[in-house]
Amino acid sequence: MPELPEVETVRRGLTNLVAGRTVQSTEVRWEKTVGGLTAAEFNDALRNQKIIKIDRRGKYLLFRFTNDITMVSHLRMEGSYYTVPTGTQPGKHDLVTFHLDEGIDLFYRDTRKFGRMNVVPNDKVMTVAGLATIGPEPTEETLTLDYMISEFGKSKMHVKPFLLNQNHIAGLGNIYVDETLWQSKIHPLISANKITTEELAILRENIIHELARATEHHGTTVHSFTNVFGNAGEFQNELQVYGRAGQPCLRCGEPLLKTKVAQRGTTYCPVCQVERLK
């Protein structure tokens, strides 16, 4: 599933390609994609509306339209957007077409059909499922140490699934949780409330820095992620632990181990990330 750096990369690409263009009409070939609307209702909502800008909150894309409406788009596992000349025939997995002005079509492709789009009034955006309870963005301004001390201190959950839960911090997924826990020397099975203030301060800085760095490298391509220009991300070349099970730890040389935590593949160093009970 694309994580925050990948979604932000898509947002920047879409801004360059379609911001300021008007939707002349839409075609929906898989109605479950459009949040409970029929194809006709989705078309009626967006027809003749201009894309003012494209924002992001966590892993959600927010297409801001005229008429005070927003299309909330979650890519889920395999969703992607790309532009083609008007008249291009959609492929098997192109589930939605946005016919734009100036001879451009925007295709939404999703081989797994898990992605969703919800069209809502601007003042209802944060009531969409997933956004209603989303945690702060991982930036210096919004993710404070005081917040982390309070939030982590309330939970006995293992830190790996705690960080994957978007209610705590927005945008983190399996790749960047493994990376930042390794960087912070925190074992993925320690309880969130057992992490010290000093460790939380280090973890906070690593989360903020790692996601910013990954975004500048256009995200990570591990399976199928490409940006709206069809290009793969580059950050997979920078990964320090994820996908390196059995290889030497870049810090101590011990072979990295892989296990499952909360049903997710998890790579860590048994020497640098010591599991402690207290």
Side-chain angles (χ1 to χ4, degrees):
M1 180 182 293
E3 302 180 34
L4 186 153
E6 291 78 53
V7 178
E8 175 62 18
T9 297
V10 172
R11 185 200 69 80
R12 295 179 183 183
L14 284 169
T15 296
N16 290 333
L17 291 172
V18 303
R21 298 190 182 277
T22 297
V23 176
Q24 297 177 330
S25 64
T26 66
E27 293 180 54
V28 177
R29 286 170 287 278
W30 183 257
E31 287 193 346
K32 289 183 180 180
T33 301
V34 295
L37 297 179
T38 66
E41 290 168 338
F42 186 79
N43 183 61
D44 288 344
L46 298 184
R47 185 176 54 205
N48 297 325
Q49 302 302 323
K50 179 185 287 189
I51 303 171
I52 300 172
K53 62 178 179 176
I54 302 164
D55 294 326
R56 181 195 52 75
R57 182 72 170 90
K59 302 178 186 180
Y60 295 81
L61 293 167
L62 308 176
F63 290 72
R64 308 293 193 177
F65 286 91
T66 46
N67 205 27
D68 295 323
I69 59 175
T70 295
M71 186 183 79
V72 180
S73 173
H74 197 314
L75 301 174
R76 299 288 176 90
M77 296 294 291
E78 300 283 349
S80 62
Y81 288 96
Y82 65 104
T83 56
V84 295
T86 294
T88 302
Q89 285 297 113
K92 176 182 177 181
H93 301 295
D94 295 324
L95 307 185
V96 182
T97 301
F98 301 83
H99 297 292
L100 308 179
D101 58 1
E102 300 185 29
I104 295 294
D105 284 350
L106 177 65
F107 281 3
Y108 173 73
R109 174 173 291 177
D110 191 343
T111 58
R112 302 285 291 274
K113 299 182 178 178
F114 289 160
R116 295 292 181 264
M117 303 172 189
N118 297 85
V119 179
V120 294
N122 288 344
D123 60 359
K124 300 294 184 183
V125 167
M126 297 309 295
T127 68
V128 172
L131 285 174
T133 56
I134 197 168
E137 294 284 308
T139 67
E140 289 284 354
E141 297 74 24
T142 54
L143 182 61
T144 67
L145 181 57
D146 285 345
Y147 167 82
M148 288 183 65
I149 293 170
S150 174
E151 194 74 1
F152 280 65
K154 299 173 187 175
S155 179
K156 296 180 180 180
M157 184 184 298
H158 293 149
V159 69
K160 171 81 182 262
F162 181 90
L163 288 171
L164 290 174
N165 187 327
Q166 301 299 292
N167 294 349
H168 303 303
I169 301 173
L172 286 168
N174 205 42
I175 295 172
Y176 301 113
V177 170
D178 277 7
E179 290 292 297
T180 55
L181 288 178
W182 178 83
Q183 291 165 2
S184 307
K185 300 184 179 181
I186 296 173
H187 194 281
L189 286 177
I190 189 174
S191 298
N193 65 351
K194 299 297 184 183
I195 301 175
T196 68
T197 297
E198 291 76 15
E199 289 171 326
L200 286 176
I202 294 169
L203 178 61
R204 172 182 175 271
E205 288 302 318
N206 284 330
I207 288 172
I208 293 169
H209 178 260
E210 185 74 355
L211 292 183
R213 198 164 69 96
T215 300
E216 291 309 307
H217 283 78
H218 312 296
T220 297
T221 295
V222 173
H223 299 297
S224 61
F225 169 73
T226 58
N227 61 28
V228 293
F229 301 105
N231 301 320
E234 302 167 355
F235 199 65
Q236 64 275 11
N237 303 316
E238 305 290 326
L239 296 177
Q240 297 166 307
V241 60
Y242 183 89
R244 297 188 65 250
Q247 298 181 43
C249 171
L250 296 176
R251 190 161 43 214
C252 74
E254 185 75 11
L256 298 172
L257 300 181
K258 185 172 183 179
T259 187
K260 276 199 172 183
V261 177
Q263 307 304 311
R264 305 298 299 274
T266 300
T267 306
Y268 69 101
C269 175
V271 172
C272 295
Q273 295 167 269
V274 178
E275 183 177 4
R276 66 176 192 270
L277 300 178
K278 297 182 180 180

